[in-house]
Amino acid sequence: MMNENDIFSTIRMIDQQHLDIRTITMGISLLDCCDSDPKRACEKIYDKITHSAKDLVKTGEAIEAEFGIPIVNKRISVTPIALVAGASDTEDYVPFAVALDKAREATGVNFIGGFSALVQKGMTPADLKLIRAIPEALATTDLVCSSVNIGSTKAGINMDAVRLMGQTIKKTAELTADRAGFGCAKLVVFCNAVEDNPFMAGAFHGVSEADRVINVGVSGPGVVYHALQSVKGQPFDVVAETIKKTAFRITRMGQLVAQEASRRLGVPFGIVDLSLAPTPAIGDSVARILEEIGVEVCGTHGTTAALAMLNDAVKKGGVMASSSVGGLSGAFIPVSEDEGMIAAASSGVLTLDKLEAMTCVCSVGLDMIAVPGDTTADTLSAIIADEAAIGMVNTKTTAVRLIPAPGMKVGDTVDFGGLLGSAPIMPIHGESAETFIARGGRIPAPMHSLKN
């Protein structure tokens, strides 16, 4: 039972410290929508999504009103479309993305994810068709999100897919040049992708999941930041314990909302993802947490150690609070979506190389990073390969969401608005990676992949 202090504390977290449920995401299996006729398959996809999620937004809004807990987004994730469309006799997978977007519009959700392929060990003809369709699909739909898993600890890194994804990101930016390359903000390249991630743009519904499931993503950087102000000058073990207790409270609230949504919708509860997902709002920043821990500016020496402690303490607190913690669960560091990260990158203290080092110890990876529009596809592929190597060797999920903003150079700023925020164009190394990427093939899995 919650006592009076707990209730008032939760009210303060919501009212003053930006605590919210970032998303209620319904995962929907589309495996039963496979059809040799692509038009019929798209109709099945639309029908199943609209039937399954017809009450999702209404239910989320009702819970938000009754509990007084902000629920920022209601989202849908679906089975990787390459697995579904592969049964259809067609070379063009763009209509599948259009069907997803129409279903999203009909249900009223904020995003739909799953225009995806899993190619960590090799690519089927369906995978190739989907990847080739990504640029046009993201350019012609509004809020469809795409992801491709190009590596894993068990399989190694598919460098042919890495090369293809660099080209795909480049073309996506060109086709959405009128929106500063916005299509790339809806595209994630993974290593060790998870099947129950509720966050966009990388969410998809894994093949081992139930037919439908409810996953909830919680966010509370502002709450952690405020909690740390009470332990200024204290040793690191005190700091870690404070973060852990705060993550516990955040996760409990997330589980409450997840179970209530599950009950009302008649859909099984999956997981709570307790990731600290920042926003561009002042006071809702992971970077500012690291600075509160003691580094002068996020990105300077000591930042990686502070982030490692933060990520670990968040996970420990979440596991104490729920037996159903999943997804990515940790600390996100998306540059454009974090006011403190934006400031640190704009000042030149936070660099791409430092961000890469930080991804060794936190959730996800190089996220929402804008680079010059003339960045080559090979360089984009090389950045993906570096990040995938970190995930593969460290048995963790890593991802890349790069935006080569057309016509922009270092010193410019790209602005997407809303939760996607704005980002300074960050400098990259000018030396070529063409010979490296041209090798193709597969980087073998590390020795510790042979655990079974």
Side-chain angles (χ1 to χ4, degrees):
M1 291 290 291
M2 293 183 72
N3 61 34
E4 187 175 282
N5 287 335
D6 290 330
I7 294 170
F8 282 120
S9 175
T10 302
I11 291 172
R12 282 195 301 272
M13 288 192 294
I14 293 169
D15 189 47
Q16 302 172 18
Q17 300 167 16
H18 302 282
L19 178 62
D20 59 51
I21 301 297
R22 185 54 49 83
T23 178
I24 296 177
T25 301
M26 179 181 287
I28 303 172
S29 173
L30 300 181
L31 291 176
D32 54 353
C33 298
C34 294
D35 199 293
S36 58
D37 181 350
K39 183 178 179 181
R40 179 60 185 145
C42 288
E43 290 172 352
K44 288 181 178 180
I45 288 169
Y46 176 87
D47 290 344
K48 181 161 188 183
I49 292 172
T50 53
H51 174 74
S52 298
K54 65 182 185 299
D55 296 326
L56 178 60
V57 171
K58 179 174 64 177
T59 300
E61 291 173 346
I63 294 172
E64 184 175 16
E66 292 174 32
F67 287 67
I69 299 171
I71 301 174
V72 179
N73 279 308
K74 296 84 180 174
R75 300 167 173 168
I76 294 170
S77 64
V78 299
T79 306
I81 289 297
L83 300 177
V84 181
S88 297
D89 185 16
T90 180
E91 295 296 315
D92 183 10
Y93 283 8
V94 174
F96 289 89
V98 173
L100 293 179
D101 208 32
K102 288 180 178 178
R104 175 206 59 78
E105 186 176 8
T107 55
V109 297
N110 302 93
F111 289 98
I112 186 165
F115 195 74
S116 306
L118 310 176
V119 298
Q120 55 266 34
K121 201 168 184 179
M123 290 182 281
T124 66
D127 294 325
L128 282 168
K129 291 175 188 176
L130 183 129
I131 293 172
R132 288 170 181 154
I134 287 173
E136 185 180 349
L138 297 184
T140 56
T141 60
D142 290 327
L143 296 168
V144 170
C145 295
S146 179
S147 59
V148 177
N149 191 67
I150 50 81
S152 73
T153 299
K154 292 290 288 184
I157 302 173
N158 183 344
M159 291 300 292
D160 292 322
V162 168
R163 183 179 188 181
L164 191 54
M165 288 313 298
Q167 297 167 356
T168 299
I169 292 170
K170 187 74 174 174
K171 187 173 181 181
T172 302
E174 292 169 355
L175 290 184
T176 56
D178 59 329
R179 290 167 283 168
F182 174 69
C184 297
K186 302 185 291 177
L187 174 59
V188 180
V189 185
F190 277 116
C191 178
N192 289 322
V194 297
E195 297 189 327
D196 55 4
N197 168 25
F199 286 99
M200 297 297 170
F204 63 85
H205 186 69
V207 294
S208 67
E209 296 285 316
D211 187 60
R212 296 186 301 162
V213 70
I214 289 292
N215 298 321
V216 165
V218 184
S219 179
V223 180
V224 174
Y225 174 79
H226 280 82
L228 290 179
Q229 291 180 325
S230 66
V231 294
K232 290 181 182 293
Q234 296 294 310
F236 277 107
D237 51 349
V238 175
V239 174
E241 187 68 15
T242 300
I243 296 169
K244 185 173 72 173
K245 289 178 179 178
T246 305
F248 175 89
R249 291 157 63 196
I250 294 170
T251 306
R252 293 295 287 178
M253 187 191 75
Q255 176 153 310
L256 169 69
V257 170
Q259 290 176 331
E260 187 64 18
S262 171
R263 181 185 68 80
R264 296 188 186 195
L265 291 165
V267 175
F269 163 45
I271 58 93
V272 175
D273 186 318
L274 58 124
S275 296
L276 296 182
T279 72
I282 303 295
D284 200 28
S285 162
V286 170
R288 299 306 185 195
I289 294 174
L290 303 177
E291 291 168 1
E292 182 64 27
I293 290 172
V295 298
E296 183 177 2
V297 178
C298 178
T300 193
H301 305 298
T303 299
T304 305
L307 182 59
M309 185 203 61
L310 171 64
N311 204 62
D312 180 67
V314 166
K315 290 179 185 290
K316 287 175 177 173
V319 170
M320 287 171 58
S322 172
S323 59
S324 300
V325 170
L328 300 167
S329 290
F332 288 177
I333 52 172
V335 174
S336 81
E337 300 173 11
D338 185 307
E339 168 269 325
M341 295 284 177
I342 295 169
S346 297
S347 71
V349 176
L350 184 62
T351 64
L352 191 59
D353 288 342
K354 184 59 175 180
L355 279 164
E356 183 180 300
M358 292 165 67
T359 65
C360 296
V361 299
C362 78
S363 299
V364 198
L366 298 173
D367 195 15
M368 286 301 289
I369 295 172
V371 296
D374 60 359
T375 302
T376 67
D378 289 331
T379 296
L380 296 172
S381 294
I383 295 171
I384 292 169
D386 283 343
E387 192 61 26
I390 290 172
M392 176 184 71
V393 171
N394 290 289
T395 321
K396 69 185 293 290
T397 302
T398 53
V400 172
R401 191 160 42 149
L402 293 172
I403 304 155
M408 295 194 179
K409 59 186 185 301
V410 175
D412 294 335
T413 298
V414 58
D415 189 357
F416 294 118
L419 287 177
L420 295 176
S422 63
I425 305 299
M426 299 184 71
I428 59 171
H429 294 292
E431 293 75 19
S432 174
E434 181 179 358
T435 302
F436 173 70
I437 295 301
R439 287 181 178 274
R442 184 160 59 92
I443 294 179
M447 189 65 195
H448 61 257
S449 68
L450 300 176
K451 290 184 178 180
N452 55 335

